[in-house]
Amino acid sequence: MNVQFFIEVLVGGLLSGVMYALVALGFVLIYKASGVFNFAQGAMVFFAVLSFVGFMELGLPFWAALPVTVVLMVATGMLTERFVLRPLVSQSEDTLLMATIGLAFVIEGMAQLVWGVDVRRLDLGIRDEPIGWFMDSTGILVSQLDITAGVVAGLMVAILALIFSRTKVGRGLRAVADDHAAALSVGIPLKHIWGLVWATAGIVALVAGMLWGARSGVQFALIGIALKALPVLIIGGFTSVPGVIVAGLIVGAAEKLTEVYFGPMVGGGIEGWLPYVLAVFFLLIRPEGLFGEKIIRRV
Amino acid sequence: MINRIVRLIWLGISAALIALPLHAEEQYFGIPSSRVGPYSAMGTGYYGGIIDYLTYVNLKGGVNGVKLTWSECETEYNAARTVECYQRLLNKGNQKMVVFDTLGTPGAYAVIGRMAQDQVVLAQYGYGRTDAADGTVWPWVFNAAGHYWGQIGVKLAFMAQKEGGIPKMRGKKIVHLHIDTAYGREPLPAMRQFAKDWGFTLIEIAIAPPGLEQQSQWLQIRQERPDWVTFWGAGSGMNSTAITTAARVGFPREKMIYVTFGGAEEDMLPAGDAAKGTYVSANAVPGDFPLIADIRKVVYGAGKGNMQNKERVGTVYYNRGVGAAIMWIEALKNAQAIHNKKGKAVTGPEFRDGYEALDMSEAKLKELGVLGMLAPFKLSCAKHDGAEKWRMMQWDGKKFQLVSDWVNPPNQALIRSMIEESAAKYAKENNLTPRSCPPSS
């Protein structure tokens, strides 16, 4: 076996995993606050980055378009809380899940209606080609965009982990996730918590969308990356922010290594389904995921 | 007095009934568009081109006075929804659809069986089931703008030309990087045959859709160090990602040749500078040809254009759509002439006869204002693959530059024999009796 090539594939997989984890973070935020899998997260990623590029096309410079898009995503989060979630307080998790499925279609349609369906290019000024000196000295391909994605993901996880564990808002979030009604009864402002968390998930979606958009162009297909986030969530645990990073790395490395070394034997295309096989495996042996909270229910 | 009023009313009703047939005849088309979703860039351009040309013909007085009408149905490029749209569009009032264009192999495979029963023409414009080029087995299916086996032949000939001739292809390594679907695998039978005949090594690498992550495939390519990569992707997400990932592993774009359905401006632009140098094969080339300029003037001048972004008029997908619609209209004209129905709507079988009689000579293409945009071709009863010609283009960072004239694949006789063999196998498996065609066709 060519060790250098193995390391190259492994590093490539880990870096891809970081990109998956960025998308998965948004799911964790919503799940922690409402106990529901937000089916609309992929649509939010698409809407956020499409709006960002759209504002730039309208003439706003990069540094003006960014805060405007953040405001838009915060407003979207607040409106979602007001018109979708608030009327469904204390409803079952299934009801909330169905609401997010509907929300996904609304956001997808609205994004295309407002900004059109043209494919856009997003140039962040970060090169996505191998860094010459690094490749020369190690033989491994890493781009500036890979490094940026790793740093951004690390920062976001650190900030979010601090918020969840060390702040009053974080404790409120955890209480709401446990039981909406009980949290309300002890005076936790549910609407503020939900509004805040949806707004934060919108900002996370913007960051993920910008990095994915810079690599693959800003287009509808970005919605599909949410599908990659699902096995990451199952493996890492729906409630663990650091968990999605670890799971992202596992999924990224496993799918790349398997595709490269076993793909040619079976005609390729393994990485499309391997993460789901891994997820099923984890569901069987550790349903709460690697870092998720163990679910204990009284009979 | 009352009797007089009643008589007048009767006269009025009779006059109205007599006048009805004087209303313009209408020919109805069903359009399965894909305007939203991951394939929207392709769908909006292609179907926008079709609708603009139909509008253009109507604004010019219709086809011998017959007005064209159409209904759209959104498929999102999904095969199941294509079937649903086909059923929904098949009949409109007392009119029946005569032609259907799915703009994709999965959709074509999904409806190909039922269309023969319904007697509706499946116009595959450079995609779909390749062996449908044999009209004796597939009387209702056409590949007027060529098929994938011919297209891959042209690409291999282009590589051979760059390498210094077919003998120089011996020992070369070619990767076929493709979406893991029937469409992605469609050119493989022809590629394998060429690999055997020319002595190059063929490596097949699949990408699971939607293909926004292709790191592992491109690392394999980097390790294999191929001389060329033929890319068979779908959707601008997968197509532009292939370019950016090629750049990440340092594979030269001048050694990549894209399929027609991945080779449009919308597939290149998102990749930025990384796309510079990429080759594409085309069955309809972009540009402001006389017809396109006239559509801009007549249709968009009247505020009736279909494209939301007018700058896309004249791009690859748009011009391909116009090319497809030209075939419909020329087939309609032929059908009216053959069946003595000038100024009248035609039926599916009549339209089929008209489509089969298409003779798009250079003179005809010039008359239509699309000489150079489309390849000249002639169809017949047995031969349903039309042009069998492609032009090679190269992306210069802003637009496509034409780098070849219309080129036929090498060894057309071999490809034809493979088509007939595959069609005969299908006929045998499905208990079909191939129809007989005149020897000259």
Side-chain angles (χ1 to χ4, degrees):
Chain A
M1 183 196 273
N2 182 338
V3 177
Q4 188 181 333
F5 182 65
F6 177 84
I7 294 171
E8 195 171 293
V9 176
L10 179 65
V11 171
L14 294 174
L15 292 168
S16 299
V18 170
M19 296 286 277
Y20 300 152
L22 271 172
V23 181
L25 269 178
F27 285 95
V28 171
L29 282 173
I30 305 287
Y31 192 86
K32 277 178 89 79
S34 53
V36 70
F37 178 77
N38 175 24
F39 208 84
Q41 191 64 28
M44 284 169 68
V45 169
F46 171 57
F47 177 55
V49 68
L50 185 61
S51 301
F52 174 66
V53 176
F55 286 129
M56 286 206 292
E57 282 179 355
L58 290 176
L60 289 183
F62 182 95
W63 295 111
L66 191 60
V68 171
T69 313
V70 168
V71 170
L72 175 70
M73 293 314 292
V74 169
T76 305
M78 297 293 184
L79 289 172
T80 302
E81 184 279 322
R82 176 64 188 85
F83 295 106
V84 181
L85 297 175
R86 204 184 296 179
L88 299 175
V89 169
S90 300
Q91 297 296 315
S92 71
E93 288 171 5
D94 295 344
T95 307
L96 289 168
L97 174 69
M98 295 307 289
T100 67
I101 291 173
L103 183 66
F105 287 115
V106 170
I107 293 176
E108 284 171 24
M110 191 175 66
Q112 293 178 93
L113 188 71
V114 173
W115 299 111
V117 295
D118 289 354
V119 179
R120 272 92 161 184
R121 188 188 166 210
L122 174 58
D123 185 2
L124 296 176
I126 306 168
R127 291 184 69 82
D128 197 15
E129 286 175 14
I131 300 169
W133 64 265
F134 193 78
M135 192 171 76
D136 292 341
S137 56
T138 63
I140 294 168
L141 305 168
V142 178
S143 71
Q144 283 182 8
L145 191 69
D146 289 325
I147 294 172
T148 309
V151 170
V152 168
L155 276 174
M156 282 171 67
V157 168
I159 293 167
L160 292 171
L162 278 174
I163 291 173
F164 277 113
S165 59
R166 302 289 166 90
T167 65
K168 198 175 167 185
V169 171
R171 284 192 292 277
L173 277 170
R174 285 152 65 191
V176 169
D178 273 352
D179 191 324
H180 308 164
L184 269 174
S185 68
V186 294
I188 292 171
L190 185 63
K191 62 181 181 181
H192 290 152
I193 295 278
W194 273 4
L196 184 71
V197 86
W198 274 82
T200 312
I203 295 167
V204 171
L206 173 62
V207 174
M210 285 171 73
L211 289 167
W212 274 100
R215 173 158 288 170
S216 304
V218 178
Q219 52 195 306
F220 187 88
L222 289 177
I223 286 172
I225 59 171
L227 295 173
K228 285 277 185 182
L230 181 58
V232 170
L233 286 165
I234 293 171
I235 295 168
F238 276 80
T239 54
S240 171
V241 172
V244 294
I245 295 291
V246 176
L249 297 176
I250 290 172
V251 167
E255 68 174 19
K256 300 294 178 245
L257 288 169
T258 317
E259 181 69 50
V260 169
Y261 289 103
F262 297 102
M265 297 176 201
V266 294
I270 289 180
E271 61 186 337
W273 51 262
L274 183 89
Y276 295 94
V277 173
L278 277 176
V280 169
F281 176 73
F282 272 87
L283 279 175
L284 289 172
I285 59 162
R286 196 175 165 85
E288 67 274 20
L290 286 173
F291 298 87
E293 289 160 17
K294 194 145 191 152
I295 304 158
I296 300 166
R297 292 192 195 279
R298 289 195 179 86
V299 179
Chain B
M1 183 66 184
I2 291 170
N3 284 344
R4 202 175 159 192
I5 291 169
V6 171
R7 262 202 306 273
L8 280 172
I9 291 169
W10 267 115
L11 274 172
I13 292 170
S14 307
L17 286 171
I18 291 164
L20 266 179
L22 296 177
H23 285 182
E25 280 264 343
E26 289 181 349
Q27 185 74 49
Y28 161 68
F29 294 96
I31 298 178
S33 55
S34 47
R35 293 183 177 277
V36 295
Y39 305 96
S40 56
M42 186 167 76
T44 48
Y46 186 77
Y47 290 111
I50 287 178
I51 291 170
D52 275 354
Y53 188 67
L54 299 183
T55 308
Y56 175 78
V57 171
N58 273 346
L59 290 171
K60 294 268 183 178
V63 179
N64 295 318
V66 175
K67 287 280 173 191
L68 311 174
T69 64
W70 57 90
S71 289
E72 273 192 83
C73 178
E74 176 63 45
T75 68
E76 291 190 33
Y77 204 75
N78 175 303
R81 290 188 71 167
T82 301
V83 176
E84 188 188 325
C85 279
Y86 171 78
Q87 295 294 4
R88 195 182 298 171
L89 294 168
L90 186 59
N91 294 294
K92 187 185 178 191
N94 58 356
Q95 299 184 83
K96 190 177 173 189
M97 185 166 72
V98 292
V99 61
F100 197 63
D101 179 345
T102 63
L103 182 57
T105 305
Y109 270 76
V111 294
I112 201 165
R114 67 186 71 206
M115 288 181 69
Q117 289 162 16
D118 295 330
Q119 300 193 316
V120 177
V121 165
L122 174 58
Q124 303 178 136
Y125 199 74
Y127 61 82
R129 191 166 178 128
T130 300
D131 64 5
D134 185 346
T136 63
V137 175
W138 298 97
W140 293 93
V141 190
F142 294 85
N143 310 83
H147 45 65
Y148 290 135
W149 293 0
Q151 184 178 160
I152 198 67
V154 168
K155 286 175 176 177
L156 291 169
F158 182 75
M159 291 174 202
Q161 184 202 328
K162 290 276 173 191
E163 297 289 348
I166 291 174
K168 299 271 175 148
M169 290 296 280
R170 185 163 295 280
K172 298 283 180 208
K173 209 183 260 187
I174 298 171
V175 165
H176 179 64
L177 180 64
H178 64 91
I179 184 171
D180 198 12
T181 64
Y183 150 73
R185 291 185 288 270
E186 187 73 23
L188 283 170
M191 278 193 101
R192 288 170 190 154
Q193 188 62 46
F194 274 106
K196 213 164 111 187
D197 295 350
W198 291 8
F200 63 81
T201 307
L202 173 65
I203 299 163
E204 299 160 18
I205 300 179
I207 307 167
L212 287 182
E213 242 298 311
Q214 298 174 25
Q215 178 89 342
S216 47
Q217 287 81 6
W218 281 97
L219 285 174
Q220 285 178 69
I221 290 171
R222 184 165 176 262
Q223 197 190 27
E224 294 286 354
R225 298 187 187 282
D227 298 283
W228 291 89
V229 169
T230 54
F231 179 73
W232 227 263
S236 48
M238 175 178 285
N239 299 334
S240 57
T241 301
I243 294 172
T244 51
T245 318
R248 279 168 72 197
V249 301
F251 188 82
R253 265 66 74 207
E254 294 79 8
K255 295 286 181 180
M256 290 171 69
I257 306 186
Y258 266 50
V259 65
T260 39
F261 281 84
E265 293 82 351
E266 291 82 0
D267 302 302
M268 301 291 132
L269 286 168
D273 290 341
K276 206 172 167 184
T278 309
Y279 287 112
V280 166
S281 49
N283 52 10
V285 302
D288 228 11
F289 293 89
L291 174 65
I292 304 299
D294 209 31
I295 288 175
R296 210 189 290 274
K297 195 173 120 195
V298 174
V299 179
Y300 287 84
K304 294 188 172 178
N306 191 265
M307 298 297 289
Q308 197 179 20
N309 178 358
K310 287 179 201 164
E311 286 179 15
R312 291 181 64 200
V313 172
T315 57
V316 171
Y317 287 136
Y318 182 88
N319 284 9
R320 195 179 298 161
V322 171
I326 287 173
M327 307 306 157
W328 296 5
I329 301 311
E330 293 310 304
L332 177 56
K333 284 180 192 168
N334 288 346
Q336 289 181 353
I338 293 167
H339 293 280
N340 202 20
K341 290 181 87 172
K342 205 168 176 183
K344 290 180 182 164
V346 301
T347 63
E350 290 163 349
F351 186 85
R352 200 273 310 271
D353 293 344
Y355 208 99
E356 214 157 58
L358 280 176
D359 183 2
M360 306 299 284
S361 62
E362 287 203 352
K364 184 76 186 170
L365 294 175
K366 190 173 181 188
E367 179 196 321
L368 290 166
V370 288
L371 183 64
M373 185 177 109
L374 309 174
F377 70 90
K378 190 174 187 301
L379 297 179
S380 69
C381 168
K383 192 178 173 307
H384 278 198
D385 48 346
E388 287 187 271
K389 285 176 192 283
W390 280 262
R391 287 185 91 164
M392 297 301 296
M393 311 189 292
Q394 190 173 28
W395 185 251
D396 72 359
K398 286 185 180 137
K399 60 182 191 316
F400 285 110
Q401 299 292 344
L402 297 172
V403 294
S404 85
D405 202 347
W406 292 107
V407 187
N408 276 117
N411 208 346
Q412 281 177 275
L414 170 73
I415 292 176
R416 187 68 202 176
S417 69
M418 288 173 66
I419 286 169
E420 287 172 3
E421 193 184 319
S422 174
K425 192 178 161 204
Y426 177 86
K428 196 177 170 192
E429 284 169 1
N430 292 275
N431 263 338
L432 295 173
T433 309
R435 63 176 175 159
S436 57
C437 286
S440 58
S441 72

